[in-house]
Amino acid sequence: MTARLQAAALPHLPLGVRRPAFSRSSLQCGIVHLGLGAFVRAHLAVFNDDALDSVGAAAGAAWGITGVSLRQPDTRDALAPQQSLYTLALRDGSGEALRVIGSVLEVLVAPEAPQAVLDRLAHAHTRIVSLTITEKAYASDAPGSAVALIVQGLALRQALGRPPVTLMSLDNLPANGRVLRARVLALAAQQGLPALVDWIATGCSFPCSMVDRIVPRTTDADRARISAGLGMQDAWPVIAEPFIDWVLEDRFVAGRPEWPGVRFVAAQDDVAAWERLKLRMVNGAHSALAYLGVTAGWATVDAAMAQPALHSFIDTLLRDEVEPTLRGVSVPPGYRERLLQRFANPALAHRCTQIAMDGSQKIAQRWLATLRERLAAGAPIAHLALALAGWLHFLRGHDEAGQRYAIEDPWADALQVLYGQAEAQPDAHARADHFTRFAPLFGDLAGEPRLVAALAPALHSLRERGVAATLAAFDPLSKEQQP
């Protein structure tokens, strides 16, 4: 199969393949997205296509997307011969639906062409700068980082007399817009640019958002299957579940597309409730099953959820320990049940190792905030403690069959030292106590007696009995751990 997916080939796609209903030739790039990974191509770009399909290219001409890869050229190299077109494959137990996405118009690679990225950030057509750079990247202001590029681009924009823009984070961080604003202003101040600080603070907006869609990594088998379904080659399709969600603070200083299906809210506090729901329910449960799954040798999320004891554990964790902390959040009816069904989707083959990456940057929002609230209320924490024990057990670097896996984490070296020191402790209680003394992560939870008391038997059981046996015996175990 030699024909490549391109604009001229769209009319020749099979009838069941959805394609853009708008003309791409009249679009301008009004959105610059930093971090063009699979998630944004299965989320923002899809909402953008829906908006353009709804109003037509003439009315939506300002809202094409420039994607920016911050590290590697692989996405650009795959999409450039396809005029930035790619396929979205929505998969569940009933099959697969293919759709070609057309709102991404170009892909730049920041390390190769940093000036081209800055010029696009400062371009007169640019109105929104969006980001999916993962949690850890917000701590970096090194040259070439997303925050550094934004500050340079805004400085150029100000120098050229261009108007302010909206900067929109789509990452899984509480108050992500406020976090981004603080990082951008801090770096501009650090660089001695007071006029730029004032220009950003008074002119630009940083809306908060909550995004939700499960997007596993694309495999060679996915590429081959999707290309066969198209009748032409797509070098970089994306896979996603049918479910999609987006809650967005409606603060845009230079306009926005009319994205259908987005829940626009008036203030950051309105987003915060949805952020807590997503981080604690979806992301928290995802991490718990991922660490237990990796160490047990259950390679994918659906394989892990097919284990009755793990399914029951996740359900009880959410119902008994997470949902009670969501005060002020109107949890939609059936939310937990639908979430478990999403995790069990066998068509995604979402690998647990993908979710397990960068744990040190995630679990503070996903588990520790919930733990603090439960401890403050004097409430049981047995299930949260086992989830945390699962991550600490994961740090040993091999599963129960002895197969090694990489600890992909910005703190990997420090965590390996921590694990070795904990293993040298005389008993499970001392190991649990030592783990919690890792101040960069646990902070005020260091040595917290109730946390240590709940963590110790979970760590001991995982180490001596394994994941399956620990989960199978968890009901009596949880009774022993009641504070």
Side-chain angles (χ1 to χ4, degrees), residues 108-299:
L108 304 177
V109 181
E112 290 183 2
Q115 189 59 48
V117 175
L118 297 180
D119 289 343
R120 182 52 74 184
L121 290 170
H123 199 284
H125 292 157
T126 298
R127 302 185 186 188
I128 296 172
V129 178
S130 53
L131 303 88
T132 46
I133 58 176
T134 74
E135 295 92 338
K136 62 185 176 183
Y138 286 81
S140 174
D141 54 18
S145 70
V147 174
L149 285 171
I150 287 171
V151 171
Q152 289 178 275
L154 293 179
L156 179 57
R157 194 172 185 89
Q158 182 196 31
L160 292 172
R162 304 268 163 76
V165 295
T166 296
L167 297 112
M168 179 176 70
S169 170
L170 303 179
D171 283 296
N172 286 318
L173 286 170
N176 51 16
R178 290 183 179 179
V179 172
L180 178 60
R181 184 178 190 273
R183 295 296 301 153
V184 168
L185 290 174
L187 182 56
Q190 180 184 319
Q191 293 179 352
L193 301 170
L196 178 63
V197 170
D198 183 66
W199 185 84
I200 295 170
T202 59
C204 294
S205 65
F206 295 79
C208 292
S209 68
M210 183 282 289
V211 296
D212 191 5
R213 176 168 252 182
I214 296 173
V215 183
R217 220 173 250 140
T218 302
T219 66
D220 289 340
D222 293 327
R223 273 184 275 272
R225 184 188 66 255
I226 291 166
S227 294
L230 295 175
M232 59 190 69
Q233 184 187 4
D234 183 348
W236 209 290
V238 290
I239 316 299
E241 63 172 336
F243 179 90
I244 191 168
D245 200 8
W246 192 4
V247 179
L248 182 57
E249 185 182 5
D250 200 0
R251 291 202 307 124
F252 289 80
V253 297
R256 60 164 173 79
E258 293 298 325
W259 290 306
V262 177
R263 281 193 288 253
F264 291 104
V265 297
Q268 188 273 333
D269 288 345
D270 298 321
V271 180
W274 292 100
E275 287 173 344
R276 284 198 305 279
L277 178 69
K278 164 74 184 323
L279 285 165
R280 298 186 183 191
M281 295 284 283
V282 182
N283 299 122
H286 233 177
S287 287
L289 67 87
Y291 294 118
L292 294 169
V294 170
T295 52
W298 303 324

Side-chain angles (χ1 to χ4, degrees), residues 36-65:
L36 192 69
F39 180 82
V40 73
R41 293 197 291 131
H43 192 273
L44 169 62
V46 180
F47 278 104
N48 224 47
D49 262 46
D50 289 341
L52 293 170
D53 278 349
S54 176
V55 302
W63 300 118
I65 298 173

Side-chain angles (χ1 to χ4, degrees), residues 395-442:
L395 296 179
R396 66 182 184 168
H398 64 85
D399 66 19
E400 293 174 3
Q403 296 295 314
R404 300 204 65 81
Y405 49 79
I407 307 296
E408 297 188 42
D409 193 292
W411 293 354
D413 292 342
L415 293 172
Q416 289 299 287
V417 171
L418 175 69
Y419 184 83
Q421 292 172 340
E423 283 296 288
Q425 301 302 310
D427 55 42
H429 189 277
R431 282 194 293 277
D433 182 81
H434 187 83
F435 274 129
T436 68
R437 303 285 175 178
F438 186 61
L441 181 60
F442 289 98

